[in-house]
Amino acid sequence: MNIREDFSYLREHPDQTYVDSACVSLKPDVVLKSMNRYYEDFPACGGGRSGHELGRKTSESFEAARRQVQKFLGAKRSSEIIFTRNTTEGINLVARSFPFEHRCVLTSDKEHNSNYIPWLRLSKQGFKHLRVSTKEGVLDMDEYKRLLEEHEVDLVAINHVSNLDGIVNQVKELARIAHRHGARILVDGAQSAGHLPVDVRKLQADFFVCSGHKMFGPSGTGVLYGKREELVRLEPFLVGGDTVEDVTPEEVVWADLPHRFEAGLQDYAGVIGFGQACDYAAKLKLKRIDAHGRKLREALQSVLEPYGRLLGSADHRSSILTLLPENIDAHELSLLLGQHGIFVRSGTFCCHSWFHKHDVPAALRFSLHAYNTDEDIERIRKVLEGPLSGVLSKK
Amino acid sequence: MGMICLVALVVFAVLGIFSARHRPLAKEAFRCVFRKATLRKCDTGLDSRIKTSVSGVFFKAHPKAGSFVFKHFTVISWIFTILFFASLASTAIGGYNYWMYGNCNGPGEDGFCIFDPTSSHQGFSDVSEEGCTAPDLLNSYLTMEGKNTSTFLDFSQGEQNTMVFFGCYACEYTRKAYPTLMRVADREDVGLVFAHFPVKNQSTGFSEVVNCLYKENPSLVRSFNDAVFSQPIDALDARAALDSIGAPTQDVLACAQSSDAQAYADRQFSQVEATGIYGTPTVFINGEPVVGPKPYRIYRRLLR
């Protein structure tokens, strides 16, 4: 798979290796052009606010993007697609609006802060926040089942692919078990959407959240998918313009889905770009992207293994590889790699709780995507074995 | 490695005065230093960024050099920090000395001063230079205490401060100091005492002339000095100077030729020499010696 020519950044920087796609992916020209087209050709208010042609075109493009995302995620209806700024906003929306009955939430012990802090905050208000432990990054299914049996859980909030170690959770199985115990499931798909095939109905997710910026789309875009019957139970979180059908001194008549959850002027350019990103990813075929990522990840694994410990079980990783380097600070190593044109992320990847629990210092994360190639892996190997060999120590 | 943040703090703080871009870096450096001082780890990452940036420069030159700098950065940063603060202290001391004494190296010292690269505040004419018939210096220690000043030309009239000025009409440094000294005399509550101390051949005989002029009409001495100091060094002309100020030229010159005047000048020379003078101009302000042409503030500082 060689799609580097689709990306202006890679055309202009052929000697650089970008392996930080888990933070933000690069954007193909087709996405950038679609966004520019909005600003150049019909930069107007959408959502039916303005009746002129430009406004109409904006609304049509916006809703077309919604259908593109619906198709991409396999949702039944476009009204089940709510545009947000990112995964974080989607999770917070559910956390604030979900009609908790038993005030009990279950997550893993390895969640991104965005899928941890909202529940931690609720736990300060008397909620129960249960955490399933992971071993070598893999969820302990026995403990998962046990916790669901012993507690009346309202909502399971779990990542599809971990941003920490790339481990893929068997979400379909988790959803089946959750439903059997009367719990709903919210799937954090930030690292899965755009990297592997996602069908929210096949996954049986009640809610699914993801970000546009991690799957070729612009930053500031995201989506909350929810089954219609679940979304209608949510009380709108952010309210204001466009969220209402009517307002009287005594009551509010909420707009229908999805608009009741999309307050204020929307990021039209961003959403249009997001829709294009979905089409672009679908055109590449998610199965191919997934296979390509795993293949490169395996090659990278053999390059990195001598330099420290790789987090997570090797059998369950996607295209993310996280290294705890030996005898060198991860931040410093990432800066040194950056000086040689290799861009990785170092730190705790917004998983502070996991790092505290395991008393582990900062790590180095390599996250691959469809535009990475064997040359990127080779470049990494050359730098580690060449200029940086003097500062690295092998196991 | 946190030591490097201390240097970064000073550098970025100074740069931050002029550049908004450096202020966040100064804040980061301060946080880093504060945390280190309270025995905690630096959490801004500034120390790592500095380490990798500096190592990166060496990596570009040669991987081995980069590795060496990277691996030994803690020691290198300690050495650099110590050198930085040592040079900062040295600069501060030099600056203080320059402000106080017009010379980076301290009072009465010579040697290069970065704040005075042309040594304009340090020069003096050595009393042992060519043509000078001065005997050996009685003492290298400059003092007016207990010295006989009977032959000095005294213009003071009960002012709070006394400025004793020894200079040579042909000395370029005396000429440089003269306008400043006269400004001090005019503006401040200072009583002036003057004695010509010839160190150059061109000014031979001028002590007698000015002493005689003082005897004749003390109020003309200032004008005479102004006139002589404005003449070219190699064309000093006492007669022309006297004429230009309306002095009784013939009488003054006749007096200067007398044996009494010469004996007086010799006594005066010895009395000046006895103060330990080693160069002109030498000024004693309230007994405090200053050698060489200095900025106004130096003299001002010594006044009560």
Side-chain angles (χ1 to χ4, degrees):
Chain A
M1 179 178 272
N2 194 339
I3 56 170
R4 292 174 78 88
E5 286 302 311
D6 294 345
F7 295 80
S8 63
Y9 179 82
L10 294 174
R11 284 198 306 273
E12 281 159 34
H13 303 89
D15 295 333
Q16 288 183 358
T17 292
Y18 185 81
V19 278
D20 192 17
S21 298
C23 186
V24 162
S25 69
L26 300 178
K27 324 298 170 197
D29 294 346
V30 65
V31 167
L32 302 175
K33 280 181 182 147
S34 69
M35 294 171 69
N36 283 341
R37 206 175 306 123
Y38 163 73
Y39 284 121
E40 286 165 6
D41 295 346
F42 50 96
C45 249
R49 291 174 186 220
S50 301
H52 49 69
E53 188 197 329
L54 295 184
R56 212 170 16 86
K57 204 161 176 189
T58 303
S59 300
E60 281 168 7
S61 301
F62 188 84
E63 293 306 322
R66 196 188 302 279
R67 290 190 292 276
Q68 285 169 307
V69 176
Q70 173 210 347
K71 189 177 168 190
F72 180 74
L73 292 180
K76 190 173 177 184
R77 306 173 186 86
S78 63
S79 60
E80 293 174 332
I81 302 296
I82 296 163
F83 286 118
T84 59
R85 285 180 308 162
N86 43 43
T87 303
T88 302
E89 184 176 309
I91 296 173
N92 273 273
L93 195 161
V94 173
R96 291 277 188 169
S97 309
F98 188 82
F100 291 95
E101 215 180 317
H102 312 291
R103 294 158 66 87
C104 182
V105 175
L106 186 147
T107 68
S108 76
D109 69 349
K110 204 186 58 168
E111 299 295 327
H112 187 284
N113 281 341
S114 296
N115 195 28
Y116 187 82
I117 297 171
W119 319 119
L120 184 67
R121 184 199 280 199
L122 286 179
S123 73
K124 307 282 182 211
Q125 296 166 19
F127 276 65
K128 234 187 272 183
H129 178 195
L130 307 171
R131 284 166 281 245
V132 184
S133 44
T134 52
K135 288 189 185 89
E136 287 294 309
V138 180
L139 203 73
D140 184 338
M141 289 301 283
D142 291 333
E143 188 182 345
Y144 177 71
K145 287 174 194 163
R146 183 177 56 75
L147 285 172
L148 280 167
E149 276 159 17
E150 289 174 4
H151 302 270
E152 286 180 296
V153 175
D154 289 299
L155 183 71
V156 172
I158 206 122
N159 64 75
H160 190 176
V161 173
S162 169
N163 76 305
L164 171 64
D165 51 19
I167 299 294
V168 184
N169 281 322
Q170 301 308 309
V171 165
K172 193 171 171 181
E173 180 64 11
L174 295 173
R176 191 183 63 76
I177 297 169
H179 290 152
R180 204 170 66 212
H181 290 86
R184 304 296 191 274
I185 185 163
L186 161 70
V187 179
D188 173 0
Q191 301 296 341
S192 60
H195 289 265
L196 47 95
V198 168
D199 187 313
V200 290
R201 279 186 284 174
K202 284 183 182 166
L203 288 176
Q204 297 181 38
D206 298 296
F207 302 100
F208 184 93
V209 288
C210 66
S211 297
H213 59 264
K214 294 187 202 293
M215 47 165 284
F216 308 121
S219 46
T221 58
V223 74
L224 162 66
Y225 156 82
K227 285 180 183 169
R228 186 178 174 83
E229 56 269 29
E230 298 300 335
L231 288 178
V232 296
R233 294 169 64 210
L234 301 186
E235 186 71 15
F237 164 46
L238 213 58
V239 297
D242 295 332
T243 61
V244 295
E245 280 290 341
D246 197 8
V247 181
T248 68
E250 289 81 37
E251 65 169 340
V252 173
V253 179
W254 297 113
D256 200 2
L257 294 172
H259 303 292
R260 68 171 65 169
F261 293 109
E262 291 176 354
L265 200 88
Q266 297 298 295
D267 178 5
Y268 300 118
V271 164
I272 288 167
F274 189 10
Q276 281 300 317
C278 290
D279 277 0
Y280 180 78
K283 198 176 80 174
L284 294 178
K285 304 261 188 288
L286 275 304
K287 273 191 180 150
R288 276 184 69 206
I289 295 176
D290 184 29
H292 176 76
R294 286 174 195 265
K295 188 187 116 212
L296 287 181
R297 189 259 301 146
E298 274 171 27
L300 183 59
Q301 215 161 281
S302 58
V303 170
L304 296 179
E305 254 159 9
Y307 299 105
R309 179 163 80 97
L310 292 169
L311 294 186
S313 160
D315 298 329
H316 297 84
R317 289 189 195 122
S318 63
S319 53
I320 292 174
L321 212 50
T322 302
L323 174 75
L324 291 175
E326 294 250 321
N327 297 327
I328 184 170
D329 179 70
H331 293 300
E332 288 171 8
L333 182 54
S334 81
L335 290 169
L336 288 173
L337 286 167
Q339 286 173 357
H340 290 86
I342 296 167
F343 303 118
V344 301
R345 181 164 167 190
S346 62
T348 56
F349 324 119
C350 300
C351 289
H352 299 79
S353 56
W354 187 90
F355 280 81
H356 284 311
K357 182 179 173 185
H358 293 84
D359 196 24
V360 161
L364 208 63
R365 184 180 70 186
F366 296 75
S367 42
L368 302 153
H369 213 328
Y371 38 70
N372 291 118
T373 61
D374 293 321
E375 279 79 26
D376 289 320
I377 308 302
E378 182 58 21
R379 195 172 289 136
I380 294 170
R381 187 190 64 75
K382 277 190 176 147
V383 167
L384 292 177
E385 292 177 3
L388 299 189
S389 58
V391 300
L392 293 170
S393 54
K394 290 190 176 181
K395 285 192 297 193
Chain B
M1 195 172 66
M3 292 311 296
I4 201 71
C5 282
L6 200 50
V7 174
L9 175 60
V10 174
V11 171
F12 289 136
V14 169
L15 287 173
I17 294 168
F18 310 102
S19 156
R21 195 162 59 93
H22 290 92
R23 283 171 212 157
L25 290 168
K27 266 173 100 170
E28 267 192 79
F30 176 77
R31 185 177 166 84
C32 196
V33 168
F34 182 73
R35 283 183 68 88
K36 282 285 182 183
T38 51
L39 303 175
R40 292 177 288 172
K41 209 169 175 271
C42 176
D43 64 352
T44 66
L46 183 65
D47 50 349
S48 292
R49 293 200 318 266
I50 294 174
K51 178 180 176 181
T52 50
S53 289
V54 171
S55 308
V57 171
F58 289 90
F59 266 117
K60 280 195 182 108
H62 197 282
K64 280 202 169 123
S67 299
F68 178 84
V69 170
F70 186 86
K71 278 179 164 166
H72 300 96
F73 194 77
T74 303
V75 171
I76 292 170
S77 67
W78 264 103
I79 293 170
F80 182 74
T81 304
I82 290 168
L83 287 174
F84 177 83
F85 283 101
S87 71
L88 210 59
S90 177
T91 305
I93 291 168
Y96 173 78
N97 280 335
Y98 179 74
W99 181 255
M100 291 294 278
Y101 309 113
N103 183 320
C104 289
N105 305 298
E109 294 286 336
D110 56 7
F112 180 74
C113 174
I114 192 70
F115 301 116
D116 181 25
T118 58
S119 300
S120 59
H121 299 148
Q122 295 176 62
F124 59 87
S125 292
D126 195 320
V127 300
S128 63
E129 269 184 351
E130 29 85 24
C132 181
T133 56
D136 291 341
L137 293 172
L138 293 170
N139 198 326
S140 60
Y141 177 64
L142 277 170
T143 183
M144 289 290 300
E145 205 159 313
K147 303 299 175 187
N148 189 346
T149 62
S150 60
T151 62
F152 298 168
L153 309 185
D154 193 340
F155 301 94
S156 63
Q157 288 167 4
E159 289 91 343
Q160 195 182 11
N161 301 284
T162 306
M163 179 164 73
V164 181
F165 169 31
F166 304 137
C168 172
Y169 290 129
C171 166
E172 61 181 300
Y173 303 109
T174 302
R175 285 167 167 244
K176 201 164 177 187
Y178 181 74
T180 308
L181 291 169
M182 291 306 106
R183 225 167 45 240
V184 173
D186 292 342
R187 289 183 187 177
E188 310 293 342
D189 183 20
V190 170
L192 180 64
V193 176
F194 172 67
H196 179 248
F197 189 76
V199 296
K200 303 277 187 183
N201 287 337
Q202 296 95 322
S203 62
T204 303
F206 271 75
S207 298
E208 292 85 337
V209 172
V210 71
N211 292 339
C212 283
L213 181 61
Y214 179 80
K215 220 167 60 172
E216 183 73 34
N217 187 345
S219 66
L220 288 178
V221 170
R222 170 74 181 263
S223 303
F224 177 76
N225 285 348
D226 291 348
V228 175
F229 278 125
S230 64
Q231 291 173 344
I233 285 179
D234 288 324
L236 295 183
D237 186 339
R239 177 184 290 275
L242 288 167
D243 285 341
S244 71
I245 62 172
T249 307
Q250 286 304 117
D251 295 340
V252 171
L253 289 178
C255 166
Q257 297 293 330
S258 67
S259 55
D260 284 346
Q262 284 176 11
Y264 190 90
D266 289 343
R267 273 202 321 278
Q268 186 184 65
F269 190 93
S270 300
Q271 285 183 358
V272 173
E273 223 178 23
T275 63
I277 189 171
Y278 58 83
T280 59
T282 292
V283 176
F284 287 87
I285 296 185
N286 297 325
E288 192 73 33
V290 181
V291 180
K294 303 295 180 195
Y296 187 96
R297 67 175 189 275
I298 304 295
Y299 304 119
R300 177 74 185 78
R301 185 182 60 79
L302 297 171
L303 300 175
R304 289 190 201 99

